[in-house]
Amino acid sequence: MSQGKFLCSWFGGIFVAAALTNFAWANEVKVNEKQGEQAGASRSINWADRLGFGAEKRVLIFHMDDLGMCHEANQAGIRYYSEGALRSGSVMSVCPWFEDFAVWWLDHPDYDIGVHLALNCEWKYYKWGPVAPCARVPRLVDARGYLYRGVKETAQKATAEEVEAEIRAQIERVIARGLKPTHLDTHMGALYARPEYAIALMKVACEYQIPAFVLEMSPEVLLMMKMKGIPFNAALIEAVRDYPMPKLDRFTYVPNGDSYEEVRQRFCDQVQALPPGITEMILHPSDESDTLKRITGSWQQRVWEAKLFHDPEVKKFLQEEGIVQTDWRDLMRRHEARQKKVATNGSL
């Protein structure tokens, strides 16, 4: 299975949205790609080097998405945190099981937990609406008041102002609960479905001083965006360039497979092939149940992902490969130390 196939679940909706909606960026792509390549050429140092890990180190954030979606996701995530097998994840404050996870989080405030900002509810029977009042974000919801199932519908209809209002509401729900999120990211990639959505994400991240899922606009990333049909323009490239908090060099997913053994082997192959830099690898661990099987057709993959990082063979593999595991809290701590050094010495 190719890496492009791995990314399909995240980028699929964005690709369709880009293909079926007439974004103004379409005629700018060649110009903007050239601008991005020129910018990337002057930034040969990766983020592992910038943040003090070392330029040749393969640094990974193994990131648990969809916490708060259901009890099964919460249980698998809490077990990973509690046993120290994984260090980073993000919760969907828009979902019915957010409160269940929030109660545990309040008792464990030192874990690396962000907000998984959701503009969509992809499931057929298991539904949720926005945190903001529907009257405030009318183009984000369908006739029944639920978030749209697909990224395409969201990108075709929702304004950047509505998107910003909703992501603020989701963050505020977490903060109002007495919790301190360590980072912000995007459910189904929807916040990268239009450049103005991504710019809104970075704006909000800077205001709250919470680092967001932002990729360095390297030639590698720009090529990936072009191949996947992810819209970008000069304004987005400039916003990423000026974004003042830590960025990722790349991201990927735990690969799918037809058996647990196949998933494990493809995971090991994928990690082995990663170049130096900071990579976020996304997974969706969940405990098996009849309810999970009713919610999602991807239940088996999620159950295998709940097993993967408890596997002694995987633990041994990561150690032998010299993989450095980190999380968003650590990235921000290193970034702040770097900025303090610049302010004190005038240079790095």
Side-chain angles (χ1 to χ4, degrees):
M1 184 180 296
S2 67
Q3 183 164 325
K5 190 69 173 291
F6 300 155
L7 302 179
C8 184
S9 60
W10 201 84
F11 283 130
I14 298 177
F15 182 83
V16 173
L20 297 183
T21 55
N22 186 24
F23 292 135
W25 63 271
N27 293 325
E28 300 179 63
V29 168
K30 290 184 179 180
V31 173
N32 296 330
E33 183 183 353
K34 184 176 181 181
Q35 291 174 343
E37 287 174 348
Q38 291 171 344
S42 66
R43 296 194 301 266
S44 58
I45 299 174
N46 61 36
W47 275 92
D49 194 31
R50 284 190 176 100
L51 296 182
F53 294 102
E56 299 306 314
K57 290 293 185 180
R58 290 177 295 164
V59 181
L60 273 95
I61 300 174
F62 295 114
H63 191 272
M64 298 176 282
D65 280 15
D66 289 7
L67 300 173
M69 187 193 83
C70 59
H71 180 64
E72 293 80 0
N74 290 351
Q75 288 299 103
I78 288 169
R79 190 165 58 253
Y80 266 143
Y81 277 125
S82 299
E83 296 180 9
L86 292 179
R87 296 172 47 174
S88 188
S90 57
V91 65
M92 301 170 77
S93 65
V94 72
C95 289
W97 281 87
F98 164 67
E99 180 61 22
D100 174 69
F101 188 83
V103 169
W104 178 84
W105 187 1
L106 282 167
D107 289 335
H108 302 83
D110 295 330
Y111 285 114
D112 186 69
I113 303 170
V115 186
H116 196 48
L117 298 166
L119 302 182
N120 298 96
C121 176
E122 67 270 40
W123 312 119
K124 184 176 181 180
Y125 301 113
Y126 183 49
K127 311 300 290 182
W128 54 79
V131 173
C134 289
R136 181 86 184 277
V137 291
R139 297 174 187 84
L140 272 177
V141 298
D142 63 20
R144 296 182 293 164
Y146 297 126
L147 295 173
Y148 290 112
R149 291 186 66 186
V151 173
K152 178 185 73 174
E153 291 88 349
T154 302
Q156 287 176 327
K157 297 176 181 179
T159 67
E161 292 74 22
E162 289 173 306
V163 166
E164 182 177 333
E166 177 57 21
I167 65 176
R168 286 182 185 275
Q170 293 182 24
I171 296 166
E172 286 296 331
R173 172 173 280 182
V174 174
I175 293 173
R177 196 63 182 80
L179 301 163
K180 296 182 179 180
T182 58
H183 59 286
L184 307 172
D185 58 27
T186 172
H187 183 55
M188 298 174 65
L191 285 170
Y192 283 88
R194 288 169 61 172
E196 55 265 41
Y197 293 178
I199 291 170
L201 170 64
M202 286 181 273
K203 173 187 173 184
V204 171
C206 290
E207 288 184 18
Y208 282 92
Q209 281 297 288
I210 302 173
F213 181 100
V214 176
L215 296 170
E216 184 65 63
M217 288 290 188
S218 63
E220 172 192 350
V221 168
L222 286 165
L223 177 61
M224 178 272 293
M225 292 176 74
K226 180 181 178 183
M227 291 177 63
K228 296 298 174 185
I230 302 174
F232 63 95
N233 58 17
L236 178 57
I237 291 174
E238 182 178 0
V240 171
R241 183 196 65 202
D242 295 340
Y243 175 73
M245 287 188 283
K247 304 171 196 172
L248 300 168
D249 290 303
R250 68 194 59 82
F251 85 101
T252 187
Y253 270 84
V254 170
N256 294 325
D258 293 327
S259 68
Y260 172 73
E261 290 73 22
E262 185 177 23
V263 168
R264 182 175 62 190
Q265 185 58 55
R266 288 179 172 178
F267 165 79
C268 293
D269 292 344
Q270 188 175 4
V271 169
Q272 270 188 326
L274 285 173
I278 299 178
T279 302
E280 179 166 295
M281 181 175 282
I282 296 168
L283 62 151
H284 302 83
S286 297
D287 284 351
E288 184 174 349
S289 75
D290 290 341
T291 299
L292 183 69
K293 294 174 184 179
R294 182 66 171 169
I295 291 173
T296 171
S298 66
W299 68 267
Q300 182 65 83
Q301 177 72 18
R302 291 171 183 252
V303 169
W304 286 334
E305 290 177 1
K307 176 181 179 181
L308 187 65
F309 292 90
H310 295 295
D311 189 326
E313 289 190 29
V314 171
K315 293 179 179 180
K316 180 182 178 183
F317 164 77
L318 293 173
Q319 185 174 18
E320 290 175 347
E321 283 293 308
I323 297 301
V324 178
Q325 294 192 48
T326 190
D327 54 51
W328 282 96
R329 190 189 296 275
D330 183 43
L331 295 191
M332 195 61 174
R333 179 185 60 79
R334 289 170 176 269
H335 173 71
E336 289 171 346
R338 182 176 184 262
Q339 295 302 104
K340 184 177 180 180
K341 183 177 179 181
V342 171
T344 301
N345 301 331
S347 63
L348 292 175

